[in-house]
Amino acid sequence: MSDPRAEGSELRVETLLEALPYIRQFHGRTVVIKYGGAAMREERLREDFATDVVLLKYVGLNPVIVHGGGPDITSYMERLGMEVRFHEGVRVSDAETVEVAKMVLLGKVNSDIVARLNRHGQPAVGLSGEDGGLFAVRPHEKAADVGFVGDIERVDVDVLNHIAEDYIPVIASAGADEQGNSYNVNADTAAGKVAATLPAHKAIFLTDVTGWLADPGRPESLVSYATVDEVSARLGEVAGGMRPKLEACVEAIRGGTESAHIVDGRRSHSLLLELFTDAGIGTMVTG
Ligand code: ADP
Ligand code: MG
């Protein structure tokens, strides 16, 4: 009779062997991870995310985390009795809104991520686009309607390269212009710019769907692979939060990132599955 324990350990050895060529290939490479959605909201998924990121660092990758904080910003604004408004999916941000957004993003969301990574055994450093002049921001094209929402003009990756050698950089997607005005920046857009400027080896966007759906109403219409040209040609038909994600994939690849992935962050250890198994999950975009 076969020993069930032996069967289990064979499976584990197989998993390790499957990961080995990936670990070799990724050693010393940078991977930009846009963190958000359920993976940031649910306690168990937060723990899994931190475990995964720390493991990446241990096996020789340089993870760079970029995050937003949408739902937390909304809930703190509501607690303060402030009006929450969106215009075409973008948060309408007066100076007071940006002040609260920055406080929540850095004082709460960012520091929680940093503390968790530290607790799991790899030192992380939190920063926003204003630290080390990381992002140069200018007003969004719809600034008249949305207020202090910014586009990133330039990323200065010097500060990131220094930090990423020894620490895990955790970037809150906010920045300032030359006059010192602060802006909200879409976290997908920020992650795409960071990946493009480094350039990263990979960019991974965690989200609350299985990936890019050709028909948003049909989960079985997942696009598992697309080239940047295919994505660009179809951007016009993509709405909602998927649009900036796909634009960010295109930006990353055009800047020299080898592949960009939109991955279901509701699934435990989705990062490890994407990076270290033959299966690959979600949507992959390449040049
Ligand atoms: P996050 O940025 O936190 O990952 P968003 O809500 O900004 O989440 O963006 C993801 C959302 O985009 C999905 O949950 C889905 O509702 C929406 N969406 C719109 N069009 C598509 C599409 N074609 N495929 C997949 N998701 C889409
Ligand atoms: Mg979004």
Side-chain angles (χ1 to χ4, degrees):
M1 250 176 57
S2 71
D3 178 349
R5 281 173 314 168
E7 267 172 39
S9 59
E10 260 167 43
L11 202 73
R12 285 196 289 272
V13 168
E14 250 174 56
T15 310
L16 275 172
L17 290 176
E18 188 181 334
L20 184 60
Y22 295 103
I23 293 175
R24 191 183 298 142
Q25 183 196 335
F26 297 152
H27 195 89
R29 304 286 185 117
T30 304
V31 53
V32 171
I33 302 162
K34 161 33 187 5
Y35 183 39
M40 203 159 88
R41 275 193 318 271
E42 284 173 32
E43 179 55 24
R44 188 181 55 89
L45 294 174
R46 280 185 198 156
E47 282 292 296
D48 291 349
F49 173 80
T51 312
D52 290 5
V53 171
V54 163
L55 189 136
L56 299 187
K57 191 78 180 170
Y58 275 126
V59 300
L61 279 100
N62 291 326
V64 173
I65 315 297
V66 181
H67 68 91
D72 275 309
I73 295 168
T74 300
S75 87
Y76 275 85
M77 284 178 70
E78 282 167 351
R79 275 201 233 172
L80 292 168
M82 294 166 69
E83 189 196 2
V84 176
R85 274 200 305 133
F86 285 88
H87 177 81
E88 294 176 0
V90 178
R91 183 187 302 278
V92 178
S93 304
D94 57 15
E96 213 187 2
T97 302
V98 177
E99 187 178 288
V100 173
K102 221 167 108 173
M103 282 164 58
V104 175
L105 211 53
L106 275 161
K108 171 89 175 64
V109 184
N110 187 277
S111 72
D112 282 357
I113 301 169
V114 167
R116 202 176 287 266
L117 291 172
N118 285 337
R119 194 153 47 69
H120 278 77
Q122 282 285 353
V125 170
L127 65 171
S128 82
E130 294 182 37
D131 292 293
L134 179 61
F135 299 157
V137 174
R138 58 159 183 249
H140 190 272
E141 56 182 36
K142 292 192 185 116
D145 301 312
V146 294
F148 290 102
V149 175
D151 279 331
I152 298 174
E153 243 178 339
R154 193 176 36 73
V155 178
D156 183 347
V157 290
D158 233 33
V159 58
L160 280 188
N161 284 328
H162 282 297
I163 295 174
E165 268 190 28
D166 298 308
Y167 303 93
I168 300 171
V170 179
I171 305 168
S173 63
D177 65 14
E178 284 174 342
Q179 285 78 44
N181 301 307
S182 295
Y183 293 85
N184 279 329
V185 178
N186 178 283
D188 290 318
T189 313
K193 289 269 186 196
V194 168
T197 316
L198 282 164
H201 184 61
K202 276 179 188 264
I204 302 179
F205 299 81
L206 292 180
T207 186
D208 286 353
V209 276
T210 50
W212 175 27
L213 306 174
D215 174 355
R218 286 179 40 240
E220 64 278 16
S221 69
L222 173 73
V223 180
S224 33
Y225 174 74
T227 64
V228 259
D229 291 339
E230 287 162 353
V231 175
S232 309
R234 291 174 60 185
L235 270 179
E237 63 193 66
V238 183
M242 192 48 59
R243 175 86 163 257
K245 247 179 263 299
L246 287 171
E247 285 170 347
C249 290
V250 170
E251 169 103 31
I253 303 293
R254 298 227 158 116
T257 299
E258 245 164 66
S259 61
H261 305 258
I262 298 171
V263 164
D264 192 347
R266 297 169 303 181
R267 200 167 157 185
S268 265
H269 302 297
S270 45
L271 276 180
L272 297 187
L273 286 170
E274 171 46 51
L275 286 165
F276 297 126
T277 68
D278 297 333
I281 51 171
T283 298
M284 168 164 159
V285 182
T286 63

